[in-house]
Amino acid sequence: MLSNSHPMATPEVLNEFYHDLEGFSLAPLWNVQEEALVPEPTSKAAPYIWRWKDLEPRALRAGELIGTADAERRVLMLLNPSIKDRIATTNSLFSGLQIVMPGEAARAHRHTPSALRFIINSDGGYTTVNGDRIPMEPGDLILTPNWTWHDHSNESGDPIIWLDGLDIPLVHLLEAVFFEPYPEDVQPVTVPIDSSTTKYGVGTLRPAWEDTSTESYSPLMRYPWEQTWAALQRLAPEVDGSPFDGVMMEYTNPNTGGPVMPTIACHVQMLRPGESTKAHRHTNGTIYHVVQGEGHSVVHGQKMDWGPKDVFCVPGWTYHEHVNASSAEPAVLFSFTDTPVLKSLSLLREQAHPQDHQ
């Protein structure tokens, strides 16, 4: 029979031993094992919602007060109130609201964090990614993957606003952040306008002469809302959809069929009139943007009413369910997650709520 204690291990002797360990940058795992190896995760992030009625006036005010010479990017960060001292919306993802005023150009740069833009308000804006000038229309998803040159310009008479999504918290954790400004404020356009859409926008066809074996992200930089909305409308009457997410579709890499970027997956989902989903949870955290419609989500037992252009986050391993409040109109949510990272590490898990609802 094994002994559970040692006769020499008096409290005084143990304290002296632990103090001695500190001098060698050592510590006993057995004192913190229950903290390190928990039965299941509890996210440090909290469910939270940012309402458009609060976001828009402050974004416009930032446009009045801060010029492009004063800010590399004019972005209002959506910071999770439960995560301190980190730039984070969920544990591994960041989101912000970016505004470019009429006649402005946000100067060109590149960085190792991957980024997406979901366009909210735009009538004449564009992003240039590695020499490809890409139009920005409301509802479009635009990618600026890891280490691609990108700048943004507004040639319209109204402010352009979009939702940013980046993997900054994850890349910071990995200590792999690099940043480089472009030699000029705006990079030259070196290929036909929106060339990635011309090459890859069909979805089921791609240029056979291009070597895509080394690319880890989607070569398609723009996913137009017109196509996305048409796909949702075609599919919704024909399928039951997911009991947890309604009619959900993933934006995919046309070369692989996988996620658009190695660290971020993007989805769009329709909740049909009156539709109510069942509750589930998964290890990936999610940031949602309400494209259209009104309803609510129940996240960790907390009801969050939402409407057009609101943004809310669901931390990992947190039960959530969605309800479309309208009996006549569909509700549409855009979302992005860190699913590809968890899946590649065999850490992606999902669990339905035992009572279906919270």
Side-chain angles (χ1 to χ4, degrees):
M1 182 176 179
L2 295 175
S3 173
N4 291 327
S5 61
H6 196 283
M8 291 181 59
T10 63
E12 294 77 10
V13 170
L14 284 175
N15 287 337
E16 182 180 352
F17 175 58
Y18 296 154
H19 181 72
D20 175 67
L21 290 177
E22 292 176 5
F24 297 91
S25 294
L26 298 170
L29 172 62
W30 55 87
N31 281 351
V32 296
Q33 182 165 325
E34 290 184 358
E35 178 183 341
L37 298 173
V38 296
E40 64 179 33
T42 301
S43 179
K44 292 182 179 179
Y48 197 80
I49 185 165
W50 293 265
R51 304 189 186 282
W52 182 247
K53 66 180 179 65
D54 301 321
L55 292 172
E56 184 183 31
R58 287 158 181 82
L60 294 173
R61 184 60 171 158
E64 295 171 353
L65 299 176
I66 307 297
T68 55
D70 304 314
E72 184 71 26
R73 289 291 187 266
R74 191 192 289 111
V75 175
L76 297 180
M77 301 184 292
L78 307 185
L79 298 180
N80 194 287
S82 296
I83 301 178
K84 305 301 181 184
D85 304 320
R86 285 203 299 140
I87 298 174
T89 308
T90 66
N91 189 52
S92 64
L93 295 173
F94 163 82
S95 190
L97 200 68
Q98 184 164 170
I99 181 169
V100 179
M101 300 300 285
E104 287 185 343
R107 53 183 177 261
H109 64 210
R110 64 179 178 177
H111 40 68
T112 47
S114 299
L116 63 90
R117 331 285 173 190
F118 191 86
I119 312 306
I120 301 174
N121 292 343
S122 177
D123 183 20
Y126 62 88
T127 288
T128 303
V129 182
N130 280 353
D132 185 2
R133 175 169 161 163
I134 301 166
M136 306 170 84
E137 300 292 340
D140 288 357
L141 170 64
I142 294 176
L143 307 181
T144 54
N146 171 310
W147 212 235
T148 54
W149 295 112
H150 55 281
D151 55 79
H152 316 296
S153 297
N154 181 359
E155 295 182 346
S156 75
D158 297 309
I160 293 174
I161 302 177
W162 65 81
L163 186 74
D164 276 333
L166 295 94
D167 55 8
I168 286 178
L170 175 64
V171 182
H172 265 288
L173 177 65
L174 298 173
E175 297 181 341
V177 175
F178 290 85
F179 172 87
E180 182 180 354
Y182 194 77
E184 306 293 335
D185 285 347
V186 177
Q187 63 178 299
V189 176
T190 58
V191 296
I193 291 175
D194 205 15
S195 65
S196 77
T197 302
T198 302
K199 287 182 179 179
Y200 299 98
V202 176
T204 54
L205 298 170
R206 67 174 180 84
W209 64 88
E210 292 194 349
D211 180 13
T212 60
S213 60
T214 60
E215 291 184 357
S216 59
Y217 55 79
S218 172
L220 181 60
M221 297 294 102
R222 174 174 173 250
Y223 295 77
W225 175 249
E226 180 180 355
Q227 295 180 13
T228 304
W229 178 234
L232 285 172
Q233 288 181 304
R234 285 195 305 269
L235 189 60
E238 306 296 331
V239 298
D240 292 334
S242 163
F244 308 109
D245 293 302
V247 181
M248 174 178 272
M249 304 185 77
E250 181 176 2
Y251 297 85
T252 59
N253 179 332
N255 286 332
T256 66
V260 292
M261 292 185 282
T263 54
I264 301 176
C266 297
H267 294 83
V268 64
Q269 66 195 96
M270 177 189 288
L271 302 173
R272 288 159 290 202
E275 187 167 11
S276 175
T277 72
K278 295 180 180 180
H280 71 154
R281 61 181 177 178
H282 34 65
T283 45
N284 58 279
T286 309
I287 298 172
Y288 291 90
H289 167 71
V290 183
V291 183
Q292 66 180 62
E294 294 184 349
H296 69 265
S297 297
V298 182
V299 185
H300 194 54
Q302 171 188 343
K303 182 183 177 184
M304 295 193 298
D305 293 302
W306 40 256
K309 303 181 182 181
D310 290 348
V311 181
F312 64 98
C313 69
V314 175
W317 209 237
T318 303
Y319 283 117
H320 57 283
E321 57 196 282
H322 310 296
V323 177
N324 179 359
S326 172
S327 59
E329 299 295 331
V332 179
L333 305 176
F334 166 78
S335 62
F336 62 98
T337 78
D338 52 1
T339 302
V341 178
L342 291 158
K343 191 171 185 178
S344 68
L345 298 174
S346 298
L347 296 175
L348 183 62
R349 292 192 180 191
E350 181 180 4
Q351 184 180 71
H353 194 280
Q355 280 80 49
D356 288 340
H357 299 284
Q358 301 169 76

